[in-house]
Amino acid sequence: MSELENSMSTDEFEYWKAFSTLEPISILREDALGANICKTIIDSQVKNETTLKDFTLWQRDLYVDEEPDIEQTMRNIKAVFGALSAKP
């Protein structure tokens, strides 16, 4: 067994699964962060109407389904944390 399997509790593992669902860490997220920096620099120097999509390398809509609306996101959050708070 690996060190992580020996040292992480089931509760902590469930927390990280929920976090990954709510805040996925991927190349798309890194791309968005880099695009935001580029857009901020351009916007500070030029009066231009640019969007984040103008600066992204990866087109999110090719890889990810349509984003859920706010109500769906709230239902997802409640479901994940509701499951975490339920003690077996």
Side-chain angles (χ1 to χ4, degrees):
M1 288 197 158
S2 69
E3 179 182 347
L4 187 58
E5 289 175 315
N6 291 328
S7 61
M8 184 182 293
S9 70
T10 304
D11 288 340
E12 184 179 3
F13 180 67
E14 290 299 320
Y15 171 81
W16 282 111
K17 284 181 11 185
F19 179 78
S20 180
T21 299
L22 298 173
E23 294 288 334
I25 299 170
S26 69
I27 194 166
L28 297 176
R29 182 176 179 187
E30 292 175 19
D31 189 32
L33 293 172
N36 192 25
I37 292 169
C38 294
K39 182 181 180 330
T40 301
I41 292 169
I42 293 297
D43 287 348
S44 72
Q45 301 296 317
V46 179
K47 298 277 186 204
N48 193 358
E49 293 185 15
T50 60
T51 65
L52 284 178
K53 200 169 190 174
D54 296 330
F55 299 97
T56 56
L57 298 173
W58 310 102
Q59 296 303 311
R60 187 169 198 267
D61 53 338
L62 297 177
Y63 304 101
V64 180
D65 294 334
E66 185 176 318
E67 288 191 26
D69 59 10
I70 293 173
E71 290 80 19
Q72 183 61 47
T73 301
M74 292 307 293
R75 284 192 297 273
N76 291 348
I77 291 170
K78 288 177 183 177
V80 168
F81 286 102
L84 288 176
S85 65
K87 298 290 180 181

